[in-house]
């Protein structure tokens, strides 16, 4: 495990994070600029979108960190995976801790400890084939329990519905955009892809929803790797398109790669997509106090509702499950849940509405899960 300090990342020596060279070939996604980020417009209009190729930006422009040894004893050691996105989330946590607790601004007071997980080590197999739960959290949780780190920063969609003994997760940071982004060099959307085109995704949730709506498409399941790796594979022509969580692209400042954004109706997100969770040891009142001050309660309640749904279905990487809880204009919780057969031939959906309170939202998630479990019947996920 390593400690790290701030500098600028170049993810690949011959790829640049400057969006300008690629902007001139990018005309057809400019309509999503109202989302709070601006995508470059094209000055070349001679070829229709489905005949153009553009070059994707496969390195992030965020500041991340090089490894070196820290001599000062840290007040807080943050455990995280080592991908650029995981580091971006650890940095966001660090920055919020410093903003809330100025005494942590002293150099060396917070250290970031990189831990390689099972999911990081095994890249040759689809996640569904590896099996088990906690593929991206187990080793980090062990480091937390063993007091090698003080807090753990996780993508909540990677966190199993149970927490290891001796740990608690009292904090969710404000949630990012939950939607999925469509990225392609030659097409404007999934509907624009020709029959037989290959879409790369490691997510059974995405695969089943894609095939349900567009059965003429093909899905390459073992499309593994971090955001930069997957974009590089797309650049190399391994697939014609891919879907990525918009939240990750925004945290990496890589939204210039987005071709279009799928609505919630078109692609229901993964449970807890876009949410960051921070865990500590259950007997560490000092750390619990630090991270509790960062908690965003609206996100925490939404995540609790969605995870109650997932837990009821006993979901894992082997099961295509989607769920999303949000607050409507009246302040109520609206929950939508979905289960699908892996081949996309069957999709079951349900929804709930109730007060935006912990008890009722957890009950809504569980009830929705029970309904779909009953409708699915035995063997539903085996097809």
């Amino acid at each position: 495990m390593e400690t790290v300090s701030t500098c600028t990342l170049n993810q690949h020596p011959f790829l640049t994070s400057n969006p300008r060279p690629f902007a001139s070939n990018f005309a057809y996604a400019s309509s999503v600029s109202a989302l709070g980020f601006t995508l470059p417009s094209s000055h070349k209009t001679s070829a229709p979108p489905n005949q153009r190729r553009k070059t994707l930006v496969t390195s992030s422009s965020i500041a991340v960190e090089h490894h070196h040894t820290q001599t000062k004893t840290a007040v807080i050691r943050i455990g995280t995976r080592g991908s650029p996105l995981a580091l971006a989330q650890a940095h966001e946590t660090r920055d919020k801790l410093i903003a809330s607790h100025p005494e942590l601004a002293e150099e060396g007071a917070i250290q970031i400890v990189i831990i390689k997980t099972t999911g990081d080590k095994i890249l040759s197999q689809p996640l569904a084939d590896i099996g088990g739960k906690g593929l991206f959290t187990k080793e980090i949780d062990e480091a937390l329990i063993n007091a090698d780190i003080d807090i753990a920063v996780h993508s909540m969609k990677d966190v199993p519905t149970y927490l290891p003994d001796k740990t608690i997760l009292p904090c969710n940071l404000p949630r990012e955009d939950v939607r999925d982004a469509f990225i392609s060099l030659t097409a404007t959307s999934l509907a624009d892809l020709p029959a037989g085109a290959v879409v790369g995704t490691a997510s059974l949730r995405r695969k089943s929803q894609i095939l349900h709506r567009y059965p003429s498409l093909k899905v390459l399941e073992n499309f593994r790797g971090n955001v930069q790796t997957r974009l590089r594979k797309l650049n190399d022509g391994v697939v014609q398109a891919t879907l990525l969580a918009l939240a990750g692209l925004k945290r990496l400042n890589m939204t210039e790669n987005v071709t279009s954004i799928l609505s919630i109706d078109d692609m229901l997100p993964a449970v807890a997509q876009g949410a960051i969770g921070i865990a500590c040891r259950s007997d560490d009142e000092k750390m619990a106090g630090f991270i509790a001050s960062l908690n965003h309660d609206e996100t925490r309640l939404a995540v609790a509702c969605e995870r109650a749904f997932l837990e009821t279905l006993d979901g894992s990487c082997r099961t295509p499950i989607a769920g999303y809880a949000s607050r409507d204009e009246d302040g109520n919780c609206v929950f939508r849940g979905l289960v699908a057969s892996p081949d996309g031939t069957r999709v079951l959906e349900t929804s709930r509405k109730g007060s935006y309170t912990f008890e009722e939202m957890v009950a809504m998630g569980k009830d929705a899960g029970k309904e779909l479990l009953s409708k699915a019947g035995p063997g539903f996920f085996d097809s």
Side-chain angles (χ1 to χ4, degrees), residues 105-134:
E106 183 181 353
E107 185 177 357
I110 299 178
Q111 292 179 11
I112 294 176
V113 181
I114 295 173
I115 300 167
K116 185 166 277 194
T117 66
T118 301
D120 299 314
K121 296 171 186 174
I122 305 175
L123 296 175
S124 59
Q125 297 173 257
L127 292 174
D129 291 349
I130 300 172
K133 298 181 181 180

Side-chain angles (χ1 to χ4, degrees), residues 301-302 304-305 308 325 333 355-366:
L301 297 185
C305 177
C333 173
S355 66
Y356 211 96
T357 60
F358 181 83
E359 291 78 11
E360 181 151 354
M361 290 171 71
V362 168
M364 286 164 54
K366 289 181 178 179

Side-chain angles (χ1 to χ4, degrees), residues 50 62 66 87 118 129 147 184 222 264 290 361 380:
N50 61 3
I62 62 163
H66 276 313
L87 287 171
T118 301
D129 291 349
S184 176
N222 194 27
I264 299 297
F290 275 134
M361 290 171 71
F380 179 83

Side-chain angles (χ1 to χ4, degrees), residues 50-375:
N50 61 3
Q51 294 178 15
R52 294 189 208 114
R53 282 186 65 87
K54 61 179 181 286
T55 301
L56 296 171
V57 179
T58 58
S59 61
S60 63
S61 58
I62 62 163
V64 297
E65 305 186 336
H66 276 313
H67 311 162
H68 73 79
T69 301
Q70 294 274 4
T71 55
K72 179 182 174 64
T73 301
V75 177
I76 300 179
R77 296 163 298 168
I78 300 175
T80 177
R81 296 169 61 202
S83 71
L85 178 55
L87 287 171
Q89 295 178 164
H91 299 161
E92 181 178 343
T93 301
R94 179 193 60 189
D95 293 345
K96 289 181 181 296
L97 282 168
I98 291 172
S100 298
H101 305 278
E103 68 274 20
L104 297 175
E106 183 181 353
E107 185 177 357
I110 299 178
Q111 292 179 11
I112 294 176
V113 181
I114 295 173
I115 300 167
K116 185 166 277 194
T117 66
T118 301
D120 299 314
K121 296 171 186 174
I122 305 175
L123 296 175
S124 59
Q125 297 173 257
L127 292 174
D129 291 349
I130 300 172
K133 298 181 181 180
L135 293 174
F136 294 104
T137 60
K138 181 175 179 287
E139 287 81 0
I140 299 174
D141 290 334
E142 289 172 349
L144 181 61
I145 293 167
N146 294 333
D148 295 322
I149 58 174
D150 301 303
I151 65 175
V153 177
H154 297 299
S155 293
M156 281 303 302
K157 69 177 182 178
D158 293 336
V159 178
T161 51
Y162 65 89
L163 294 177
D165 289 342
K166 302 180 182 179
T167 71
I168 56 173
L169 203 157
C171 173
N172 290 123
L173 299 185
R175 197 172 198 174
E176 228 336 328
D177 197 314
V178 303
R179 294 173 296 174
D180 282 322
F182 173 81
I183 304 176
S184 176
L185 303 173
T186 57
T188 62
S189 66
L190 285 168
D192 190 40
L193 288 168
V198 180
V199 181
T201 178
S203 162
L204 288 182
R205 169 189 66 87
R206 292 183 178 124
K207 173 190 173 183
S208 61
Q209 291 186 78
I210 290 169
L211 293 178
H212 183 69
R213 289 179 175 272
Y214 305 101
S216 66
L217 298 179
K218 297 180 180 179
V219 175
L220 177 63
E221 281 186 45
N222 194 27
F223 200 69
R224 300 276 314 282
N226 61 35
V227 170
Q228 290 79 1
T229 299
R230 283 181 273 178
L231 291 179
R232 194 170 295 120
K233 288 179 180 178
L234 181 57
N235 257 336
D236 292 343
V238 176
V239 295
Q240 282 71 63
T242 189
L243 302 184
L244 296 173
L246 181 58
L249 293 167
K250 292 179 87 168
R251 288 184 174 123
L252 289 168
N253 294 326
M254 295 180 70
T255 52
E256 64 266 32
N257 291 303
V258 174
T259 304
S260 59
I261 296 172
L262 282 73
S263 71
I264 299 297
D265 291 334
D266 288 335
M267 182 64 63
L268 198 63
V271 164
Q273 182 156 310
I276 296 171
I278 310 175
C280 67
R281 289 180 293 279
S282 54
D283 62 354
D284 194 335
E285 293 182 8
K286 182 179 180 181
M287 292 301 143
F290 275 134
I291 61 179
S293 66
L294 308 185
N295 181 59
H296 186 252
D297 215 45
E298 181 173 333
T299 298
R300 182 181 71 89
L301 297 185
V303 167
C305 177
E306 295 166 22
R307 282 167 59 81
F309 172 71
L310 183 67
E311 182 179 22
T312 302
L313 291 164
D314 192 28
S316 71
C317 292
R318 292 179 175 276
T319 49
I321 296 172
Y324 177 50
S326 61
R327 191 193 293 267
D328 67 11
E329 62 275 8
D330 298 320
N332 293 314
C333 173
V334 176
F335 173 76
R336 294 178 58 182
L338 172 154
V339 298
S341 59
D343 61 3
T345 55
R346 294 185 64 197
V347 171
L348 303 176
E349 299 183 66
T350 190
S351 62
R352 296 289 187 279
K353 186 173 182 177
S355 66
Y356 211 96
T357 60
F358 181 83
E359 291 78 11
E360 181 151 354
M361 290 171 71
V362 168
M364 286 164 54
K366 289 181 178 179
D367 189 60
K370 289 176 182 176
E371 178 194 335
L372 293 189
L373 203 58
S374 175
K375 286 183 176 179

Side-chain angles (χ1 to χ4, degrees), residues 20 22-31 33 38-44:
R20 301 312 308 164
F22 124 91
S24 62
N25 288 329
F26 188 78
Y28 45 84
S30 58
S31 61
S33 60
T38 303
L39 297 176
S41 298
S42 172
H43 300 293
K44 295 184 180 179

